[in-house]
Structures are given as structure tokens and as C-alpha cells.
Amino acid sequence: MPMILNEDQNILKDTAKEFCADNTPISQLRKLRDDDSADGFDRDTWNSMSELGWAGIPFPEDFGGLGFGYKGLGVVTEELGRNLAASPLYASVWVGGTILNLGGSDAQKRELLTNVASGELLLAVALEESHRHDPYGVSTTATASGGSLVINGNKTFVLDGHVANKLIVVARTNGNAGDRDGLTLALVDREADGVAVTRTKMVDSRNAANIDFKDVSVSADAVIGEVGRGADVLDAALDIARIGLAAEMLGSAQECFDRTIAYLKEREQFGVPIGSFQALKHRAANMFCEIELSKSVVLEALTALDEGREPSEIAILASLAKSKVGEMFHTVSREGIQMHGGIGMTDEFDIGFYLKRAAVTEQTFGDTYYHRNRYGELQGY
């Protein structure tokens, strides 16, 4: 498969760009923040996205999806990233929906994935238990009791955790924290007895939650995949989620760069645009080169997903994309603030929203250092 967008994907990209320009300007995110929105996203806008079929783009047609692949979802996500659009698309489709698609039974897919694809069902994955990404560092337990599992433990940084209809909980049925074996994925209703959800407000005005589970009972048919073998599904799903986040970060970085260049052309000092100063030209050229490299990395990773390449290769590309794009977005967002000068630090200018989003996305599912180390290990170093 060529590492370019085909005609249909380009049409989808143009449609997404037009939709986001009309429906999800940064002013919407600003209003959600200022109004202290209970949901953290606009449900009418999400319904419109769902009507366009975006929530079902990567999933099979047999389960309500479009079967259009992750490259198609990637171009949509990139455009959402440009406008910093707040929506359940990432947590519910890229992460939760992917876990269901990879590990769910046919019955689970018919019942749940079809509703995810239509936008009616929102999912959140309860994985993290500390301040850093550690997918195997799970202490939350799932103990067998009769024909059920009883879950006890605490989760942090659960994306969209307070608005999700169902939670995919990563719990330990055997072994110790840090072991890959012994993890089990279980579906839990957010409003089930024993589930306590506390919304947290992140610096980028997005949704996350801390969730406590106390004697939460789930039936055996709530397990996704095999008991004790959850990492087999989780590993692959996290790599897809990392690639999806890299696509969003790429879109955000491109918009941040475009806004910075526009400001350099209009802001004058000593009677000339500051963009004519050689030092700023060099810094802008460096940002441009880093963005172009990141485009290639993300497109290759998305292409690998749609081609169904070996999991080992996808894992390498996922860590490459997350580390490279994360580093690039870190640089571009901070350069954007500096090149705007003092006014860039004020809330009046939108450029600061990109800096805040970069700070959160860089940490989500592993920061640059985590993925550099993982990349080296996957390459045998």
C-alpha cells in the first residue's frame, strides 16, 4: 500500500477540515472551559460527528462500522487536533473501541461495538494507577467468586471516565504488579454499585477521572478476551491508540506552526515584520522540518495498521511516532509561545491552548522517554 492518501481519504480529510472549521473552533473549547461544562464536550457536535460516521470509521461493517481503516480515522483525528476539538472520539473509538474490536467476542461486538460505531455508547479504559505510564503496573484485583469477578482497586487519569457509559477495567487476576501475565480486561457499568468516579480538570480543559472500585461484581461474560491474558489485547490496542494520539498531535502542531508563522508576518518591530529576522527564520525552518518528518512517521504508522503488518513492527512504529511527534509538538508549542512574545502567555490568545494540550498528550500512554526506551528494547538494544 503506498504511503499516501488515496482519493477517498483526501475527500474525507477535506470534509473533516470543513466540518471542524464550522463546528469545532477553539472558541468552543474555550466556552466549555469557561462554562465549566459538566460533560467537557458538546453533545450536539458529537452527534453530528457520529452522523457523519466518524465513530465507526475503523470498525468492520458487520458490527456497524464503515471498514474504512485507521488511516481514514487518522486524517479525521488530525483535523480535530488542529482545532483542539474536545470529543469522545479518542477515548471511545481509538482506545475503548479498539480493545473491543481486537479482543471482544462476537456477542460483545454485536451488542456494544455497534453502539460505539453509532456514537451512542461511550467507553473509557481504566488502566493507569500511578503518575506515569505503566501498562503492567496494575495492582487492582479481580478475584473469582462463584461465576463472577469481584474488582477492587483504584485508577487514575481515566480519559473521559466521568462521561463513559461503560469502563474497560484492567485488573489483575494473578501475579504481581509489573507482571505481563495475569491481567484481565473487564467491562463495568460506570454507574454500577461500588464504582466511585471523581472528575479531574486537566490543564488542557479535557476530561479525565480518578475511579475507585470497591467489591464491584461483574459476570464472566463481561471479560474481554481470556482471563489472565488481557495483555495480548491491551498491547496491540495501546499501540493503535498511541498512533491515533500521534495523528492528533500532528494536527495540533501544524496549526500551532501556521498560527505562529502568520503572527511573524504581521507583527512589526523596527518598521519590518519580525519574520524577516534571520534568527526567527532559522527557528521557523527547524519547526517546519520537524513537522515534515513527523508527517512521514505518522502516515507510515497508519499505513502499517491498515496493511495488517506484524505486531512487532507496529509496536516499533507506534513508539517511534509517539516519541517523535511528542518531541516535535513540545518544541513547536513552546516556540509558538516564545515567538508570540509576552502576549502569547495571556489567555486572550489561543496559542497557549496548544502548549497545554502538548503537555497532556505528551504524557498520555507514555512520554518521549518511555517510548525512546521501548523503541530501543524492541530493536534489541
Side-chain angles (χ1 to χ4, degrees):
M1 185 183 295
M3 202 181 69
I4 57 174
L5 299 180
N6 60 32
E7 182 179 358
D8 290 339
Q9 289 161 348
N10 275 310
I11 291 173
L12 179 59
K13 183 178 179 68
D14 291 340
T15 300
K17 184 175 183 177
E18 182 179 350
F19 176 90
C20 292
D22 293 339
N23 296 278
T24 63
I26 294 182
S27 57
Q28 184 189 72
L29 178 64
R30 186 186 289 275
K31 187 175 188 303
L32 290 169
R33 181 201 65 178
D34 293 346
D35 292 349
D36 194 20
S37 167
D39 291 330
F41 68 97
D42 183 75
R43 288 191 179 268
D44 289 337
T45 303
W46 173 242
N47 290 337
S48 297
M49 292 180 185
S50 301
E51 289 172 1
L52 289 170
W54 290 0
I57 287 175
F59 304 133
E61 294 180 22
D62 290 346
F63 302 110
L66 299 182
F68 201 60
Y70 280 101
K71 194 185 289 187
L73 185 61
V75 298
V76 168
T77 303
E78 185 179 329
E79 293 305 320
L80 291 172
R82 277 186 173 273
N83 288 35
L84 300 179
S87 82
L89 187 77
Y90 184 70
S92 195
V93 178
W94 275 106
V95 191
T98 294
I99 288 177
L100 267 180
N101 189 38
L102 293 179
S105 65
D106 284 348
Q108 289 171 333
K109 291 178 184 180
R110 280 193 298 270
E111 179 185 355
L112 302 175
L113 193 57
T114 52
N115 290 328
V116 172
S118 67
E120 298 173 34
L121 179 67
L122 302 184
L123 298 176
V125 176
L127 169 63
E128 310 288 7
E129 297 185 7
S130 68
H131 64 282
R132 63 184 180 86
H133 181 55
D134 186 6
Y136 305 147
V138 174
S139 297
T140 296
T141 60
T143 307
S145 177
S148 303
L149 291 175
V150 178
I151 300 173
N152 283 281
N154 312 100
K155 297 292 184 177
T156 64
F157 194 44
V158 181
L159 301 178
D160 283 352
H162 83 293
V163 293
N165 305 111
K166 286 186 178 292
L167 307 169
I168 299 176
V169 182
V170 184
R172 184 167 294 284
T173 45
N174 58 73
N176 301 309
D179 293 344
R180 183 180 184 277
D181 294 335
L183 298 180
T184 297
L185 308 178
L187 286 159
V188 177
D189 289 338
R190 178 175 56 85
E191 296 183 352
D193 291 340
V195 178
V197 180
T198 303
R199 182 187 182 185
T200 59
K201 296 180 180 179
M202 296 192 292
V203 68
D204 64 347
S205 305
R206 301 301 184 92
N207 288 332
N210 295 329
I211 305 180
D212 297 332
F213 300 90
K214 184 175 181 180
D215 296 330
V216 179
S217 179
V218 296
S219 60
D221 60 7
V223 173
I224 299 175
E226 298 180 40
V227 172
R229 299 291 300 275
D232 294 343
V233 177
L234 184 65
D235 287 347
L238 284 177
D239 280 329
I240 292 173
R242 289 158 180 154
I243 293 169
L245 191 57
E248 183 199 319
M249 295 163 74
L250 174 62
S252 298
Q254 289 180 94
E255 181 65 21
C256 183
F257 175 74
D258 290 346
R259 287 170 179 254
T260 301
I261 295 301
Y263 185 76
L264 293 181
K265 292 178 179 179
E266 70 180 36
R267 175 73 167 91
E268 292 190 359
Q269 196 164 18
F270 307 116
V272 296
I274 61 175
S276 65
F277 299 160
Q278 190 174 42
L280 295 183
K281 285 182 179 180
H282 288 168
R283 290 164 66 179
N286 179 64
M287 287 192 288
F288 175 81
C289 292
E290 291 300 308
I291 290 172
E292 291 301 306
L293 287 171
S294 296
K295 286 181 182 178
S296 297
V297 169
V298 171
L299 192 54
E300 174 66 6
L302 291 169
T303 300
L305 291 179
D306 286 348
E307 289 181 343
R309 296 184 199 170
E310 291 296 320
S312 58
E313 182 178 352
I314 291 174
I316 289 171
L317 289 171
S319 280
L320 174 61
K322 188 61 169 62
S323 60
K324 179 60 183 176
V325 180
E327 181 181 51
M328 178 273 294
F329 192 17
H330 179 99
T331 298
V332 170
S333 61
R334 279 152 182 77
E335 286 283 62
I337 290 288
Q338 292 186 27
M339 290 185 180
H340 275 78
I343 199 169
M345 296 297 295
T346 66
D347 192 61
E348 176 185 353
F349 264 55
D350 290 339
I351 199 71
F353 283 84
Y354 292 92
L355 177 72
K356 294 172 183 176
R357 184 60 179 156
V360 174
T361 53
E362 185 178 358
Q363 299 298 321
T364 304
F365 296 139
D367 61 12
T368 298
Y369 302 105
Y370 175 93
H371 284 289
R372 281 179 177 173
N373 182 70
R374 183 174 185 252
Y375 182 87
E377 291 178 345
L378 290 169
Q379 294 282 24
Y381 295 102

